[in-house]
Amino acid sequence: LALSTADCEGLCALADETSRTLMVGHTFIYSEPVNMLRDYVSEGQLGELLYVYGQRVNLGVIREDLNALWNFGPHDVSILLYLLGERPVRVSARQFPVLNRRLEDVAFLVLEFPSGVVGHIHESWLDPRKIRQFTVVGDRKMAVYDDTDPESPLRIYDKGVTSLPQPGAGGSHALRPEEGFGEFKLEVRAGDLLIPRVNAREPLRVEIEHFAHCISSGDRPRTDGRHGTEVVEILEAAERSAAAGGQAVEIERRDAFAGSG
């Protein structure tokens, strides 16, 4: 949406003052596999979420005007916010100019969310493979979204880890933090693989149709100005963290999360 949180907030205020529809082009939010994955998450089909990680790497165009974080990061941060429906409380990041230039070619982000979910993002334009993936790990099932696989972009794995009671543990299957090491046992569970059918449409077309609909109806865009502001705010925090050697940076609490409506 912009290169600073302050500019984003200014655009949002201007849109409100002039009764204009402000929408940022985070195209992957309009991808059918991403929306299906969000439904799996929000409906609790994966169970309680544990962690999420995304990769966007390739041996591709090496930019001279911005680094890998700002080139790729808006896509993956926007997807992560959309999937989880909450904003992180802190961000830590490291960036490296491995080609010995002014701009960083590789970035690693860790985002901590109030629900306890941990997100990790890896961005690079210096990698032997083209990977655009998100992996979501729940305590019941796990899911992989692969944007480079047109036939099977979404896979649901009936896999997980179950805690089993040990003698004298009271017969409970719940894993309690106060229990000692000998009072529980973890068992890996592997079940079926589900590859749901995805009736995919071109995300850019869906995005433009959604924008036109919001203009004519007055509805709030899925990726409105506040959502765009959240993404830029996180990228700025990641830059500050990287400049401080990876030290975690707190994200200010807002009254309403941008992706909640």
Side-chain angles (χ1 to χ4, degrees), residues 8 12 34-35 47 66 80 131 144 152 195 215 221 224 233 249:
C8 289
C12 290
V34 171
N35 280 279
L66 77 169
L80 189 57
I131 302 175
V144 174
S152 307
I195 303 179
I215 292 173
D224 65 355
E233 183 180 26
V249 172

Side-chain angles (χ1 to χ4, degrees), residues 64-100:
E64 299 293 341
D65 56 338
L66 77 169
N67 60 22
L69 172 65
W70 284 87
N71 188 40
F72 299 132
H75 299 304
D76 293 324
V77 171
S78 65
I79 293 173
L80 189 57
L81 296 182
Y82 184 61
L83 290 178
L84 300 183
E86 59 178 343
R87 64 196 307 272
V89 294
R90 66 185 59 86
V91 178
S92 54
R94 295 298 305 273
Q95 300 187 87
F96 302 95
V98 294
L99 295 178
N100 298 316

Side-chain angles (χ1 to χ4, degrees), residues 31-84:
S31 165
E32 185 61 20
V34 171
N35 280 279
M36 291 179 65
L37 179 55
R38 185 175 188 264
D39 289 341
Y40 276 101
V41 170
S42 62
E43 294 169 2
Q45 296 191 45
L46 305 182
E48 180 181 351
L49 294 193
L50 303 177
Y51 73 97
V52 183
Y53 67 91
Q55 291 178 284
R56 190 171 299 270
V57 300
N58 190 19
L59 184 60
V61 176
I62 299 174
R63 300 289 295 266
E64 299 293 341
D65 56 338
L66 77 169
N67 60 22
L69 172 65
W70 284 87
N71 188 40
F72 299 132
H75 299 304
D76 293 324
V77 171
S78 65
I79 293 173
L80 189 57
L81 296 182
Y82 184 61
L83 290 178
L84 300 183

Side-chain angles (χ1 to χ4, degrees), residues 15 154 198:
L154 187 60
V198 179

